């Protein structure tokens, strides 16, 4: 949940670190800190955002060609100056930054207290740095070895970087369950939670694996080993995205930029995978597992949040087109309920970040039971991408806004391609129908563009409902997950209570909430159970609810009943989620902006949820 960045080389570390923290701020933003080593090791840290840290450091000593920095999302201990990272060791000769949770910090802390250690913070991290220093002093080993021995005593998740004033040109870092990337520059190294602070300096990176420790020294080759002391050869990869992907590019917020990127990101998700002219759909990443997919008796899709909503669309698609039974599970529930699963099962994990702790744990459980695990991830080299047997990257590009937008449509695009590929291979779809759908799929980016042109109109509708206290979102069939997603977008960034429901379920409870104060967003596109949704709209109208309807261009019946209508282009029923989600993202965005909310960094949230 936190962001870590570190540098060692010939350049001044401070500007690199502070900029790196801004890039990583989407991961956590309740406190931030920096340690710089010049003549001595100095730590500066404060509660608040990276900008608060930058202000705080204005008149401080910025010197140093080596440093570590952290932006935090609190787990152990409230967000305050003391609990912020980095943390000193007892002698103040070492400092650490940490992302993750040390589960056995209690017994380790007691042991250290019994030996005279005093703790200044409430964090689990401080335990680790005392432990490292204790081992170094008592066992007479060097810093990398002390870190290695300490990590063998730790239960939990970590990405750490340790700096020592005995080593002005060396950093020691390690990971388990929390991501860490090493950037290799000219005579210099960068370390970070993801590649976003690194890409402007170098494209050569090494993604650490779990239980690996790396020692980087200016001007020397990196030394990579496991915590069991096995030396490994680093696998250097090239970063494939550019700096522009990390800038707002003239938009007021990352979220808006990412909403507007969707014509491009959907195209990128399909690139090299969909060839409508020749009638081909292929997913190279999972080709080896295709025979198994074609013969499986069921697929289980695991995910959280928005990715779970994309998975629900995937269920409808795979069942309708490929006739494979699909179960969609919240990863957090799946991992704790002893599911019936074995080597005949295929589990698909869907995750934007590829770091979600619950999804990772669910993968682990399924793997132990012998299932084949496939992944649909956005972040290249992420933990989930590595934990799966094979997978497909969504190629949506970095998503910085905490509210997921373009990742959702990219995930749905991949699931659509997967369902189509399996259907044509299994013979569960006529070739002519297959061709009809893929021709239409190719049109979707253009239709998303058309939908984005409605932004002004959507913004004026949003204005009317800025001060609503509750919202209801209704949809049926493919539009039910869309309703869930619309409600999640609104609640997470505007703090308005919103519920998504299958439209027909409304009469089993939520209808009691409807009065003239209640805005009800109904996705009522013209295919599928249109007439049924019409009836649901009448039920809302009869109770004086205010209807905002997402309708197909040219619609008459719903428009007559709805208070406000947003017309999206006509498309295949099974492709509607790719279009209908766009106005819902924009409604949430505009309402949040009008309510003066921090759209990109909503309260209490962070981009990747690496804790339970
Ligand atoms: O990175 P993941 O897709 O695994 O993340 C899952 C959820 O944490 C994420 O979708 C979350 O719900 C977003 N804030 C939704 O906008």
């Amino acid at each position: 949940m936190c962001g870590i960045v570190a540098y060692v080389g010939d350049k001044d570390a401070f500007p690199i670190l502070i900029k790196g923290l801004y890039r990583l701020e989407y991961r956590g933003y309740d406190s931030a800190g920096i340690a710089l080593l010049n003549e001595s090791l100095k730590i500066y840290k404060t509660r608040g955002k990276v900008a608060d840290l930058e202000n705080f450091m204005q008149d401080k000593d910025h010197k140093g060609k080596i440093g570590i920095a952290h932006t935090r999302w609190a787990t152990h201990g409230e967000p305050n100056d003391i609990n912020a990272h980095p943390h000193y060791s007892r002698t103040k000769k070492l400092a650490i930054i940490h992302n993750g949770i040390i589960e056995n910090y209690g017994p380790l802390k007691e042991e250290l207290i019994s030996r005279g250690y005093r703790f200044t913070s409430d964090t689990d991290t401080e335990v680790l740095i005392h432990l490292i220093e204790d081992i170094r002093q008592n066992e007479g080993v060097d810093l990398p070895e002390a870190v290695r021995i300490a990590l063998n005593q730790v239960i939990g998740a970590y990405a750490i970087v340790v700096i020592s004033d005995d080593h002005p040109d060396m950093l020691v870092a390690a990971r388990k369950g929390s991501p860490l990337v090493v950037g290799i520059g000219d005579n210099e190294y960068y370390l970070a939670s993801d590649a976003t602070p690194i890409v402007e300096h170098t494209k050569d990176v090494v993604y650490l694996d779990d239980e690996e420790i790396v020692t980087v020294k200016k001007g020397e080759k990196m030394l990579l080993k496991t915590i069991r002391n096995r030396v490994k050869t680093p696998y250097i990869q090239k970063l494939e995205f550019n700096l522009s992907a990390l800038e707002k590019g003239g938009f007021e917020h990352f979220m808006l930029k990412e909403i507007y990127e969707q014509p491009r990101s959907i195209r990128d998700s399909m690139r090299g995978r969909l060839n409508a002219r020749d009638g081909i759909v292929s997913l190279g990443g999972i080709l080896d597992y295709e025979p198994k997919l074609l013969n499986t008796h069921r697929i289980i899709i695991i995910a959280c949040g928005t990715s779970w909503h994309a998975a629900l669309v995937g269920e409808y698609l795979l069942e309708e087109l490929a006739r494979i039974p699909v179960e969609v599970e919240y990863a957090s529930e799946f991992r704790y309920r002893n599911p019936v699963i074995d080597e005949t099962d295929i589990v698909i994990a869907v995750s934007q970040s590829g770091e979600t702790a619950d999804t990772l744990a669910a993968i682990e459980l399924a793997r132990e039971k012998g299932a084949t695990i496939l992944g649909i991830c956005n972040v290249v080299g992420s933990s989930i991408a590595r934990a799966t047997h094979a997978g497909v990257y969504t190629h949506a590009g970095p998503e910085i806004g905490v509210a997921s937008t373009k990742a959702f449509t990219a995930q749905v695009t991949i699931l659509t391609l997967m369902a189509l590929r399996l259907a044509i291979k299994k013979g569960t779809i006529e070739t002519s129908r297959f061709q009809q759908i893929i021709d239409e799929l190719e049109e979707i980016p253009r239709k998303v563009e058309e939908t984005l042109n409605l932004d002004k109109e959507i913004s004026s509708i949003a204005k009317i409902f800025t001060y609503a206290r509750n919202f209801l979102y209704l949809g049926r069939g493919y539009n039910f997950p869309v309703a869930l997603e619309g409600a999640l977008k609104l609640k997470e960034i505007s703090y308005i209570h919103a519920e998504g429901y299958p439209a027909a379920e409304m009469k089993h409870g939520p209808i009691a909430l409807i009065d003239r104060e209640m805005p009800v967003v109904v996705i009522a596109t013209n295919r599928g159970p249109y007439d049924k949704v019409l009836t649901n709209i009448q039920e809302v109208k009869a109770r004086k609810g205010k209807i905002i309807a997402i309708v197909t261009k040219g619609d008459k019946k719903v428009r007559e009943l709805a208070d406000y209508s947003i017309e999206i282009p006509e498309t295949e029923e099974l492709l509607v989620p790719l279009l209908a989600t766009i106005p819902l993202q924009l409604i949430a965005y505009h309402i949040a902006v009008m309510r003066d909310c921090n759209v990109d960094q909503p309260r209490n949230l962070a981009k990747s949820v690496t804790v339970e």
Side-chain angles (χ1 to χ4, degrees):
M1 263 313 197
C2 312
I4 67 186
V5 56
Y7 174 77
V8 57
D10 293 322
K11 297 179 191 142
D12 284 333
F14 177 73
I16 295 169
L17 297 178
I18 203 84
K19 203 162 178 196
L21 286 183
Y22 276 117
R23 296 240 187 265
L24 290 174
E25 201 169 23
Y26 74 92
R27 299 177 68 91
Y29 32 82
D30 60 38
S31 51
I34 285 186
L36 290 167
L37 175 56
N38 189 27
E39 274 150 15
S40 61
L41 185 56
K42 292 200 184 87
I43 290 181
Y44 308 98
K45 53 189 190 175
T46 179
R47 187 203 159 104
K49 301 203 169 227
V50 177
D52 298 310
L53 176 69
E54 198 177 10
N55 279 339
F56 173 70
M57 287 190 69
Q58 247 170 16
D59 53 351
K60 308 283 186 306
D61 178 8
H62 291 176
K63 285 198 210 80
K65 311 274 182 201
I66 179 170
I68 60 177
H70 190 269
T71 173
R72 179 168 187 250
W73 187 83
T75 52
H76 282 76
E78 63 170 285
N80 59 27
D81 297 356
I82 292 172
N83 289 335
H85 297 212
H87 290 281
Y88 274 128
S89 65
R90 181 158 64 173
T91 62
K92 299 202 164 160
K93 288 173 90 55
L94 302 181
I96 190 170
I97 47 176
H98 168 218
N99 178 15
I101 291 183
I102 311 293
E103 283 166 22
N104 60 336
Y105 84 104
L108 290 172
K109 187 170 179 175
E110 272 167 34
E111 165 69 20
L112 288 162
I113 289 173
S114 73
R115 285 197 280 116
Y117 281 84
R118 295 267 170 281
F119 287 80
T120 51
S121 77
D122 307 320
T123 65
D124 49 345
T125 307
E126 200 186 352
V127 174
L128 188 53
I129 195 64
H130 288 327
L131 183 64
I132 292 168
E133 184 163 78
D134 190 70
I135 292 168
R136 198 174 169 212
Q137 288 168 348
N138 292 333
E139 301 193 20
V141 292
D142 64 10
L143 182 64
E145 184 59 4
V147 172
R148 194 186 70 76
I149 296 170
L151 292 179
N152 274 287
Q153 296 179 33
V154 157
I155 300 170
Y158 53 78
I160 56 162
V161 186
V162 180
I163 186 169
S164 156
D165 78 354
D166 287 340
H167 300 287
D169 56 358
M170 181 175 98
L171 294 168
V172 182
R175 79 156 269 178
K176 183 182 176 194
S178 271
L180 197 61
V181 190
V182 185
I184 307 166
D186 216 6
N187 224 19
E188 61 183 5
Y189 288 100
Y190 302 82
L191 293 139
S193 299
D194 64 40
T196 57
I198 295 177
V199 69
E200 62 199 275
H201 306 290
T202 175
K203 296 250 164 170
D204 292 329
V205 294
V206 173
Y207 292 93
L208 291 202
D209 267 331
D210 274 351
E211 301 201 330
E212 282 183 352
I213 302 187
V214 67
T215 305
V216 291
K217 263 189 176 175
K218 190 180 83 173
E220 289 185 21
K221 277 201 172 150
M222 72 166 77
L223 181 64
L224 185 67
K225 53 164 73 171
T226 67
I227 66 167
R228 314 270 166 244
N229 217 6
R230 192 164 60 84
V231 175
K232 295 185 76 177
T233 309
Y235 169 54
I236 302 172
Q237 301 189 43
K238 283 262 176 240
L239 288 177
E240 277 177 8
F241 63 94
N242 291 318
L243 197 55
S244 60
L246 308 176
E247 310 278 355
K248 286 191 196 147
F251 286 90
E252 203 184 329
H253 297 98
F254 278 110
M255 181 179 175
L256 191 61
K257 177 188 174 223
E258 286 155 9
I259 291 173
Y260 270 84
E261 275 176 348
Q262 288 174 106
R264 196 267 313 143
S265 55
I266 296 173
R267 248 182 228 116
D268 285 350
S269 300
M270 300 194 293
R271 180 158 296 123
R273 295 164 173 165
L274 171 69
N275 176 348
R277 208 184 52 192
D278 299 334
I280 298 171
V281 172
S282 63
L283 290 170
I286 53 169
L287 203 57
D288 290 349
Y289 289 85
E290 202 168 273
K292 200 154 186 196
L293 275 162
L294 293 171
N295 291 308
T296 190
H297 64 114
R298 69 165 174 174
I299 291 174
I300 300 169
I301 315 185
I302 50 173
C304 302
T306 287
S307 299
W308 188 84
H309 299 153
L312 271 190
V313 180
E315 175 183 23
Y316 286 49
L317 286 162
L318 285 158
E319 293 201 340
E320 178 178 343
L321 296 175
R323 310 304 299 151
I324 303 172
V326 177
E327 288 166 27
V328 177
E329 301 261 9
Y330 284 113
S332 53
E333 287 297 312
F334 180 83
R335 62 181 289 196
Y336 285 120
R337 66 166 184 76
N338 195 12
V340 180
I341 177 166
D342 61 31
E343 53 286 343
T344 62
D345 284 305
I346 296 190
V347 170
I348 303 178
V350 183
S351 173
Q352 186 287 130
S353 63
E355 303 297 342
T356 303
D358 283 322
T359 311
L360 263 169
I363 288 173
E364 226 26 74
L365 175 72
R367 181 192 282 279
E368 277 164 23
K369 291 180 181 273
T372 298
I373 326 280
L374 306 177
I376 298 177
C377 292
N378 192 36
V379 177
V380 176
S382 55
S383 304
I384 292 175
R386 289 151 164 265
T388 47
H389 291 110
V392 183
Y393 283 119
T394 50
H395 294 317
E399 191 181 66
I400 311 291
V402 163
S404 191
T405 52
K406 63 176 179 172
F408 173 81
T409 46
Q411 290 163 342
V412 171
T413 304
I414 299 298
L415 287 159
T416 310
L417 293 174
M418 192 181 281
L420 284 163
R421 168 79 183 182
L422 296 177
I424 197 74
K425 285 279 161 187
K426 280 186 82 169
T428 50
I429 190 170
E430 296 282 336
T431 314
S432 56
R433 176 75 184 125
F434 173 81
Q435 189 62 47
Q436 204 176 14
I437 298 173
I438 63 173
D439 284 342
E440 181 57 19
L441 187 53
E442 208 176 49
E443 286 297 302
I444 287 292
R446 189 185 56 72
K447 292 190 178 180
V448 171
E449 240 158 57
E450 225 181 283
T451 311
L452 287 167
N453 289 336
L454 304 171
D455 194 6
K456 268 225 170 84
E457 190 188 317
I458 294 170
S459 163
S460 44
I461 296 174
K463 194 168 178 189
I464 299 163
F465 294 99
T466 303
Y467 296 103
R469 295 166 62 91
N470 298 287
F471 257 84
L472 197 58
Y473 285 71
L474 302 177
R476 295 181 85 140
Y478 284 95
N479 287 332
F480 161 50
V482 175
L484 293 179
E485 178 56 9
L488 176 62
K489 284 293 86 83
L490 184 71
K491 73 183 112 182
E492 69 179 330
I493 60 168
S494 73
Y495 318 138
I496 295 176
H497 171 245
E499 300 245 22
Y501 255 87
E505 277 296 301
M506 181 186 60
K507 59 182 167 296
H508 297 289
I511 200 164
L513 296 169
I514 292 174
D515 59 16
R516 61 182 74 245
E517 302 284 299
M518 175 68 107
V520 183
V521 178
V522 189
I523 304 112
T525 45
N526 65 356
R527 311 263 178 111
Y530 176 76
D531 287 333
K532 306 274 177 204
V533 178
L534 207 61
T535 311
N536 299 136
I537 291 176
Q538 275 152 344
E539 287 162 0
V540 174
K541 274 312 296 176
R543 279 139 193 107
K544 310 228 168 346
K546 295 273 173 297
I547 305 272
I548 305 158
I550 312 297
V551 297
T552 310
K553 219 177 203 167
D555 178 278
K556 291 216 167 60
K557 288 191 200 162
V558 176
R559 282 187 74 103
E560 268 174 25
L561 289 172
D563 297 275
Y564 306 92
S565 298
I566 300 165
E567 284 192 10
I568 61 171
E570 166 116 40
T571 191
E572 290 282 347
E573 186 195 355
L574 49 77
L575 302 180
V576 167
L578 292 169
L579 300 184
T581 309
I582 313 290
L584 305 191
Q585 294 169 344
L586 287 168
I587 288 175
Y589 172 79
H590 289 300
I591 290 184
V593 171
M594 289 168 198
R595 287 167 70 95
D596 217 10
C597 298
N598 187 339
V599 173
D600 284 335
Q601 295 171 350
R603 70 183 180 207
N604 307 337
L605 283 171
K607 185 68 183 163
S608 51
V609 186
T610 55
V611 290
E612 264 194 77

